[in-house]
Amino acid sequence: TVLVSASHAGEDNAMAAAWACALDFAPPKVTVVLDKATRTRALVEGSGFFALQLPTVPMAALTKALGTDSAVDMPDKLQRHGVQLFAAPGWPEVPLVPGCAAWMVCRLIAEPHNQQAYDLFIGEIVAAWADERVFSAGHWTFDTAPAELRTLHYVAGGQFYAIGASIHVGLPGP
């Protein structure tokens, strides 16, 4: 589960999305599904940028609300849910949601056919930050991080799972 945020023409919004995935490493790319009915999609298409954020356990109710309530019907949805967006240094045009474990600013790679036919958006990650208690030296460290910093994974019907214990499988020996 990710939170997707964007800004265009003075309007900010954030929504939850369950379908997001890493796509490539060099340069780093991600995909996310943004339904045609969402306001955030229009902001992404207008600005050419979006952010993906990894919400944490204490954000479960907010994540559900941002995924249920639409800015199309509720233009003040962020204010109603007490969301105070912030800008990362060097990226004032992309609003970020506080309290997350990680944030990625993405430049839209326009693929009009995929966007129209499948609601599938591709972004090149141009900046990223993570809470050092859950990500350091290039690795996730959820095993040693406080439980409240575990990220959310949506199942359905308002049910989430928090990331669990790691399972490490070593490479085969010589």
Side-chain angles (χ1 to χ4, degrees):
T1 302
V2 295
L3 297 179
V4 183
S5 57
S7 182
H8 181 64
E11 181 182 355
D12 297 333
N13 198 34
M15 62 174 275
W19 295 349
C21 182
L23 177 64
D24 201 353
F25 290 107
K29 295 182 202 79
V30 293
T31 62
V32 65
V33 173
L34 302 174
D35 189 271
K36 291 171 186 65
T38 67
R39 187 67 192 131
T40 303
R41 176 182 173 140
L43 300 178
V44 170
E45 291 174 325
S47 70
F49 286 92
F50 61 96
L52 295 185
Q53 292 119 126
L54 303 180
T56 57
V57 168
M59 300 175 72
L62 175 63
T63 300
K64 182 176 184 290
L66 292 178
T68 302
D69 295 338
S70 172
V72 172
D73 304 319
M74 186 187 299
D76 63 342
K77 118 178 163 175
L78 296 180
Q79 292 77 20
R80 284 191 191 194
H81 295 298
V83 177
Q84 298 288 324
L85 299 172
F86 72 97
W91 294 97
E93 64 274 283
V94 184
L96 303 175
V97 179
C100 293
W103 302 264
M104 294 165 275
V105 172
C106 303
R107 180 186 56 79
L108 178 64
I109 297 173
E111 291 286 345
H113 173 73
N114 288 341
Q115 291 166 208
Q116 288 302 311
Y118 309 113
D119 297 332
L120 182 68
F121 286 71
I122 300 172
E124 178 183 351
I125 300 171
V126 294
W129 305 267
D131 188 311
E132 292 177 352
R133 295 173 292 175
V134 295
F135 189 87
S136 63
H139 298 282
W140 293 104
T141 58
F142 287 111
D143 286 345
T144 58
E148 65 271 10
L149 291 178
R150 293 181 181 269
T151 56
L152 298 174
H153 304 272
Y154 189 66
V155 180
Q159 182 181 6
F160 293 88
Y161 283 94
I163 193 165
S166 67
I167 299 169
H168 181 79
V169 178
L171 296 175

